[in-house]
Amino acid sequence: MQVKGSGLLRLLLDCISLLLCSGLSTSSATHLRGSFDTQDFFKFLIKFGFQKAESHRPRDSFGYIYGNITAYQAFPQPITLAVLDKSTFVDFYSNRSASIFDREMACRRMFQRIQVLAYDVDCNSHGKRDFLRRIPCPHGHLCEDEDAPGNVVPGNQFTYVISEVSQPRFWYVAMVACYRNRSTCQWHAYDTLTAPAAFLNNTIHELHYDIHVVNGHPNNSAAHPLTYEFSFDQQNLLEMYLIFLLVYMVLLPMQIYAVRLQKHPVTRLFTLSLLSEFVSLALITAHLIKFAVNGVGLPNMQTSGDILDIFSRTTFMLILLLLAKGWAVTRQQISRTGWIILMSIWVPYCAFHVFLYYWNRTEVDIVSDVDEYQTWPGWIVLILRTTFMLWFLYELRNTMKYEHSSKKLDFLLHLGASSLVWFIYLPIVAIVALQVSPMWRYKLLLGITNSADCLAYCVMTGLLWPNRSGQYLLLTGTKYAGMDELDEFNEAPHIVRERERRQNSLDNGIVEVITSHHSNNNHSIAIRTNATTNAVSDEIVNPGNEGSTNLLHNEELEANLLTDLNKNSHIVA
């Protein structure tokens, strides 16, 4: 039974199509365009990590949130745009759930703490924090709360300046359909003001926004293009992907050259895995380059790249398990039962990996600073990976127990050592990442994961290189027709023991020849005697062999013996 790469590739394409059609976007765009209907009450826009300001150029290293928010129809009261740090956003965000039962109550709870901290010209002139804007803003004018026109980026209606002087930090941007009564300073839900009119007139109160969130001053964006559009936790990702892409641009042509020289199921499957990883890196790099230009990138292309990356890693794991079972090393085929067991475990693992990817992008709470391996699908994936590692070691042990070829044993030892490192690194890194700040965790996980995978691919390319792999892989094809069965037969334990016995007998024969020459000068009789003895022994050990085979063994032994005698002629002389 052979692995059908086309079937796996077809399954992969179906998964990508499903995720793209479902509208999954893995990108948090920093250039936000869209609309907000007040009937939705709350809309979260972005979580963004602002970098630490540099003392020698503070204005150029500050964070900036700027843009325009307008509406085609008049609003009876403006609603609210909130830009909050994490300490204030957690309480604000958690109280939004009260809107399910009572939006009026939700508005009061959400702004209970913020109203004490945020500056308001009418209700809290002593507030120190610039958190809120009343939206929509008048067409062609600044927002009503914009009291520092000098800070506003030209062509925009509002600007927030985020100055993190101590350390990088996440900020959150959201819209909520709550308004503040200017006379009583109390917060109210917008739908309580408009619900009767909206019901009678079928009025839709919708606003449109165009907001940009960046690290660095917009007028100086060309000076730092690789960090300007990126949240701090994703800065330097583009450089990292470019480096790995260059490595794979060298590695992939080498492997394609190797697989053309040696057509073998293992090398073909490995080439498919390596090609998937290269295409994945190319797609994600293209997305990041576009993202650095416009703050949006190519989200669907990134989704495709991420799914290809999952396919590449899981396929590589399948290759390791097949080699551990001795496929194409000590045996040409794996039993049907073995394939069923392997596929029944590997396919669910792939499915859980894709499910983890989807869960991490859609179900993880935006406030929680958890990575994908701190969710329950992530823990399942780590447990399955550890289970695969133990299974790999068990199969490798069984294969090595019945293998007697030193070259194949050497290959299996190298494979086991390098693969064990590849299997175990991810659970260890996932545990260590728990102690790392969320501002650095994503880059750490991604960097170590890509580095380990790249190293694993380089090692496997070396192990499967044609001038080496021919020593331990069972080659197939017209040139090697029938050689696999002969190799397996020659490596059988009883044949190995018989070969060793013959070698010992041959060495003893040489000694007898030299001794007999010095004693009675009758070495030819010794030769014939030992050759006859070897032939008889061969007939006893292998009674089912043909006569021609015994004759071939005898002739080969005589030739070897004569060669050895020629080498030792100076001793005889």
Coordinates of all heavy atoms in Angstrom, one line a residue, residues 60-89:
D60 N 8.7 60.7 17.2 CA 8.8 59.7 16.1 C 8.6 58.3 16.5 O 8.3 57.4 15.7 CB 10.2 59.8 15.4 CG 10.3 61.1 14.6 OD1 9.2 61.7 14.3 OD2 11.4 61.5 14.3
S61 N 8.7 58.0 17.8 CA 8.6 56.6 18.3 C 7.3 56.4 19.1 O 7.1 55.3 19.6 CB 9.8 56.2 19.2 OG 9.9 57.1 20.3
F62 N 6.5 57.5 19.3 CA 5.2 57.3 19.9 C 4.3 56.5 19.0 O 4.5 56.3 17.9 CB 4.5 58.7 20.2 CG 5.1 59.5 21.3 CD1 5.0 60.8 21.4 CD2 5.9 58.8 22.3 CE1 5.5 61.6 22.4 CE2 6.4 59.5 23.3 CZ 6.3 60.9 23.4
G63 N 3.2 56.0 19.7 CA 2.2 55.3 18.9 C 1.1 56.3 18.5 O 0.8 57.2 19.3
Y64 N 0.4 56.1 17.4 CA -0.6 57.0 16.9 C -1.8 56.2 16.4 O -1.7 55.2 15.7 CB 0.0 57.8 15.7 CG 1.0 58.9 16.2 CD1 2.3 58.5 16.3 CD2 0.6 60.2 16.4 CE1 3.3 59.4 16.7 CE2 1.6 61.1 16.8 CZ 2.9 60.7 17.0 OH 3.8 61.6 17.4
I65 N -3.0 56.7 16.8 CA -4.3 56.2 16.3 C -5.0 57.4 15.7 O -5.3 58.4 16.4 CB -5.1 55.6 17.5 CG1 -4.3 54.5 18.2 CG2 -6.4 55.1 16.9 CD1 -5.0 53.9 19.4
Y66 N -5.3 57.4 14.4 CA -5.8 58.5 13.8 C -6.8 58.0 12.7 O -6.7 56.9 12.2 CB -4.8 59.4 13.2 CG -3.9 58.8 12.1 CD1 -4.2 58.9 10.8 CD2 -2.7 58.1 12.5 CE1 -3.4 58.3 9.8 CE2 -1.9 57.5 11.6 CZ -2.2 57.6 10.2 OH -1.4 57.0 9.3
G67 N -7.7 58.9 12.3 CA -8.6 58.5 11.2 C -9.9 59.4 11.1 O -9.9 60.5 11.7
N68 N -10.9 58.9 10.5 CA -12.1 59.6 10.3 C -13.3 58.7 10.6 O -13.3 57.5 10.2 CB -12.3 60.1 8.8 CG -11.1 61.1 8.4 OD1 -11.2 62.2 8.8 ND2 -10.1 60.6 7.7
I69 N -14.3 59.3 11.2 CA -15.5 58.5 11.5 C -16.7 59.4 11.2 O -16.9 60.5 11.9 CB -15.6 58.1 13.0 CG1 -14.4 57.2 13.4 CG2 -16.9 57.3 13.3 CD1 -14.3 56.8 14.8
T70 N -17.5 59.1 10.2 CA -18.6 59.9 9.8 C -19.9 59.1 9.6 O -19.8 57.8 9.6 CB -18.3 60.6 8.4 OG1 -17.9 59.6 7.5 CG2 -17.1 61.5 8.6
A71 N -21.0 59.7 9.4 CA -22.3 59.1 9.1 C -23.1 59.9 8.1 O -22.9 61.1 8.0 CB -23.1 59.0 10.4
Y72 N -23.9 59.2 7.3 CA -24.7 59.8 6.3 C -25.9 60.5 6.9 O -26.5 61.4 6.3 CB -25.1 58.8 5.2 CG -23.9 58.2 4.5 CD1 -23.6 56.9 4.4 CD2 -23.0 59.1 3.8 CE1 -22.5 56.3 3.8 CE2 -21.9 58.5 3.1 CZ -21.7 57.2 3.1 OH -20.6 56.7 2.5
Q73 N -26.4 60.0 8.0 CA -27.6 60.6 8.6 C -27.2 61.2 10.0 O -26.2 60.9 10.5 CB -28.7 59.5 8.8 CG -28.4 58.5 9.8 CD -27.6 57.3 9.3 OE1 -27.1 57.4 8.2 NE2 -27.5 56.3 10.1
A74 N -28.1 62.1 10.4 CA -27.8 62.8 11.7 C -28.1 61.8 12.9 O -29.1 61.1 12.8 CB -28.7 64.0 11.8
F75 N -27.2 61.9 13.9 CA -27.4 61.1 15.1 C -28.0 62.1 16.2 O -27.5 63.2 16.4 CB -26.1 60.6 15.6 CG -25.7 59.3 15.0 CD1 -25.6 59.1 13.6 CD2 -25.3 58.2 15.8 CE1 -25.3 57.9 13.0 CE2 -25.0 57.0 15.2 CZ -24.9 56.8 13.8
P76 N -29.1 61.6 16.9 CA -29.7 62.5 18.0 C -28.6 62.8 19.0 O -28.6 63.9 19.6 CB -30.8 61.7 18.5 CG -31.2 60.7 17.4 CD -29.9 60.4 16.7
Q77 N -27.8 61.8 19.4 CA -26.7 61.9 20.3 C -25.5 61.1 19.8 O -25.7 60.1 19.2 CB -27.1 61.3 21.7 CG -28.2 62.2 22.5 CD -27.5 63.4 23.0 OE1 -26.3 63.6 23.1 NE2 -28.4 64.3 23.5
P78 N -24.3 61.7 20.0 CA -23.1 60.9 19.5 C -22.9 59.7 20.4 O -23.2 59.7 21.6 CB -22.0 62.0 19.7 CG -22.5 62.9 20.7 CD -24.0 63.0 20.6
I79 N -22.4 58.6 19.8 CA -22.0 57.5 20.6 C -20.5 57.6 20.9 O -19.9 58.7 20.7 CB -22.3 56.2 19.8 CG1 -21.6 56.1 18.5 CG2 -23.8 56.1 19.6 CD1 -21.8 54.8 17.7
T80 N -19.9 56.5 21.3 CA -18.5 56.7 21.9 C -17.5 55.8 21.3 O -17.8 54.6 21.0 CB -18.6 56.3 23.4 OG1 -19.6 57.2 24.0 CG2 -17.3 56.6 24.1
L81 N -16.3 56.3 21.0 CA -15.1 55.6 20.6 C -14.2 55.5 21.8 O -13.9 56.6 22.4 CB -14.4 56.3 19.4 CG -13.1 55.7 19.1 CD1 -13.2 54.3 18.4 CD2 -12.3 56.6 18.1
A82 N -13.8 54.4 22.2 CA -12.9 54.2 23.4 C -11.6 53.6 23.0 O -11.5 52.6 22.3 CB -13.6 53.3 24.4
V83 N -10.5 54.2 23.5 CA -9.2 53.7 23.3 C -8.6 53.6 24.7 O -8.3 54.6 25.4 CB -8.3 54.7 22.4 CG1 -6.9 54.2 22.3 CG2 -8.9 54.9 21.0
L84 N -8.4 52.3 25.1 CA -8.1 52.0 26.5 C -6.8 51.1 26.6 O -6.6 50.2 25.8 CB -9.2 51.4 27.2 CG -10.6 52.1 27.1 CD1 -11.7 51.2 27.6 CD2 -10.6 53.4 27.8
D85 N -6.1 51.3 27.7 CA -5.0 50.3 28.0 C -5.7 49.1 28.7 O -6.9 49.1 29.0 CB -4.0 51.0 28.9 CG -4.5 51.5 30.2 OD1 -5.7 51.2 30.5 OD2 -3.8 52.3 30.9
K86 N -4.9 48.1 28.9 CA -5.5 46.9 29.4 C -6.1 47.0 30.8 O -7.2 46.4 31.0 CB -4.4 45.8 29.4 CG -5.0 44.4 29.8 CD -3.9 43.3 29.8 CE -4.6 42.0 30.1 NZ -3.6 40.8 30.0
S87 N -5.5 47.7 31.7 CA -6.0 47.8 33.0 C -7.4 48.4 33.1 O -8.2 48.0 33.9 CB -5.1 48.7 33.9 OG -5.0 50.0 33.4
T88 N -7.8 49.3 32.2 CA -9.1 49.9 32.1 C -10.0 49.1 31.2 O -11.2 49.0 31.4 CB -9.1 51.3 31.7 OG1 -8.3 51.4 30.5 CG2 -8.4 52.2 32.8
F89 N -9.4 48.5 30.2 CA -10.3 47.8 29.2 C -10.9 46.5 29.7 O -12.0 46.1 29.3 CB -9.4 47.4 27.9 CG -10.2 46.8 26.8 CD1 -11.1 47.6 26.0 CD2 -10.2 45.5 26.6 CE1 -11.8 47.0 25.0 CE2 -10.9 44.9 25.6 CZ -11.7 45.7 24.8

